């Protein structure tokens, strides 16, 4: 069964460094999302992406964040200058629109630790 | 604004007991979708069910069942004859109908940590 994959599974970085989290969505999906989950808390929406542009973003998704679909398969989240409070699990999700399977399928997540 | 409330932070039961996880939501939309996701200790988010707002029929899938009541804005999840493998954090989530193409973000509740003891 096709699934969303994410790399790396765990990233440790120093405060102020740039990180890029990578996701490979399910191949025929058209809508892509990033969410984050601070340890022990709920899952929060960051951004949605469709037709090569951001369709919606939350207040969390400030100028330090950016997303890109550099080729036909990858979907990336970049954090330009990481802060301690960026430490969280980051989930990528993808969705195919319409029909009974129209739901968001999540990747296994990347745990980001900012020191 | 949309909001999902899971008032039960933690539930602990003994194996084979039935357990119900509560979910109450708020939305101004007349068309919306409700979801349940499971997050086992390994951390991934596993999709369990999607229900749209105009389908109030209850659903059963094996030991799992869902009760959607629009009148009380609730979408509760029951596990019958619970098993140790059901131990996980369970999230209820809500998304609006399509207004912005490509959006339909999920709004999650705080989650309920369910522990099934042998």
């Amino acid at each position: 069964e096709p699934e969303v994959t994410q790399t790396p599974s765990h990233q440790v970085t120093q405060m102020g460094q740039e990180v890029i989290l990578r996701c490979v969505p399910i191949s025929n999906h058209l809508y892509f999302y990033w969410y984050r989950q601070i340890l022990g808390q709920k899952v929060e929406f960051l951004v949605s992406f469709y037709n090569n542009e951001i369709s919606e973003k939350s207040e969390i998704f400030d100028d330090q964040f950016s997303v890109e679909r550099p080729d036909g398969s990858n979907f990336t989240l970049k954090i330009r200058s990481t802060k301690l409070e960026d430490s969280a699990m980051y989930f990528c999700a993808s969705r195919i629109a319409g029909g009974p399977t129209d739901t968001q399928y999540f990747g296994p997540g990347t745990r980001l630790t900012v020191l | 604004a949309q909001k999902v409330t899971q008032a039960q932070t933690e539930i602990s039961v003994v194996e084979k007991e039935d357990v119900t996880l509560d979910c109450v939501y708020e939305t101004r939309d007349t068309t919306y979708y409700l979801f349940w996701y499971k997050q086992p200790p390994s951390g991934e988010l596993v999709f369990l069910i999607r229900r749209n707002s105009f389908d109030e029929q209850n659903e059963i899938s094996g030991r799992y069942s869902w009760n959607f009541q629009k009148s009380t804005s609730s979408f509760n999840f029951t596990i019958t004859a619970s098993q140790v493998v059901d131990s996980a954090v369970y999230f209820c989530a809500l998304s609006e109908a399509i207004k912005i193409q490509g959006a339909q973000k999920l709004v999650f509740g705080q989650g309920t940590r369910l522990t099934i003891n042998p």
Side-chain angles (χ1 to χ4, degrees):
Chain A
E1 185 176 319
E3 55 185 23
V4 178
T5 60
Q6 290 184 243
T7 54
S9 56
H10 190 190
Q11 172 112 32
V12 181
T13 189
Q14 296 290 326
M15 193 169 55
Q17 295 295 304
E18 175 184 288
V19 295
I20 297 176
L21 311 183
R22 291 185 166 79
C23 168
V24 178
I26 296 173
S27 63
N28 60 340
H29 285 192
L30 301 175
Y31 303 86
F32 314 111
Y33 305 82
W34 283 101
Y35 293 82
R36 80 168 186 193
Q37 184 184 30
I38 294 171
L39 186 63
Q41 297 187 21
K42 68 177 176 181
V43 181
E44 299 173 290
F45 167 76
L46 291 178
V47 66
S48 57
F49 191 86
Y50 168 71
N51 201 25
N52 281 320
E53 61 183 21
I54 290 173
S55 45
E56 189 177 2
K57 60 183 180 180
S58 71
E59 58 272 13
I60 303 169
F61 194 88
D62 60 23
D63 292 342
Q64 293 297 316
F65 292 88
S66 62
V67 289
E68 196 177 34
R69 189 155 161 81
D71 52 43
S73 58
N74 289 286
F75 179 51
T76 63
L77 174 69
K78 182 193 290 186
I79 309 175
R80 286 194 187 82
S81 178
T82 49
K83 308 185 191 80
L84 295 176
E85 54 265 36
D86 293 327
S87 293
M89 181 76 95
Y90 288 81
F91 291 102
C92 172
S94 70
R95 175 175 78 96
I96 190 169
T101 59
D102 184 2
T103 195
Q104 293 183 30
Y105 292 92
F106 285 80
T110 293
R111 180 166 298 286
L112 176 66
T113 302
V114 182
L115 302 175
Chain B
Q2 299 179 317
K3 185 179 177 184
V4 176
T5 301
Q6 295 179 255
Q8 303 151 309
T9 308
E10 293 192 32
I11 299 175
S12 181
V13 301
V14 176
E15 202 171 17
K16 296 182 186 171
E17 284 186 19
D18 298 348
V19 58
T20 295
L21 310 182
D22 296 333
C23 172
V24 174
Y25 62 91
E26 294 174 32
T27 180
R28 291 199 201 105
D29 295 328
T30 54
T31 303
Y32 50 89
Y33 302 91
L34 295 163
F35 303 79
W36 277 93
Y37 284 85
K38 175 182 180 179
Q39 187 174 42
S42 48
E44 72 270 26
L45 286 166
V46 178
F47 166 73
L48 295 178
I49 190 172
R50 180 188 81 145
R51 175 63 78 223
N52 63 41
S53 54
F54 37 89
D55 181 4
E56 287 194 69
Q57 196 172 6
N58 291 332
E59 178 143 348
I60 298 174
S61 177
R63 295 184 297 106
Y64 294 173
S65 63
W66 291 270
N67 180 261
F68 175 32
Q69 292 202 339
K70 218 166 175 178
S71 58
T72 55
S73 297
S74 66
F75 185 44
N76 296 337
F77 173 31
T78 297
I79 302 174
T80 304
S82 59
Q83 299 175 2
V84 172
V85 293
D86 296 327
S87 296
V89 180
Y90 289 86
F91 290 97
C92 181
L94 168 72
S95 79
E96 60 193 2
I98 297 173
K99 289 178 186 156
I100 305 168
Q101 184 70 356
Q104 278 198 312
K105 67 183 181 193
L106 290 172
V107 175
F108 284 83
Q110 292 283 355
T112 297
R113 181 176 298 279
L114 177 63
T115 303
I116 310 297
N117 299 299

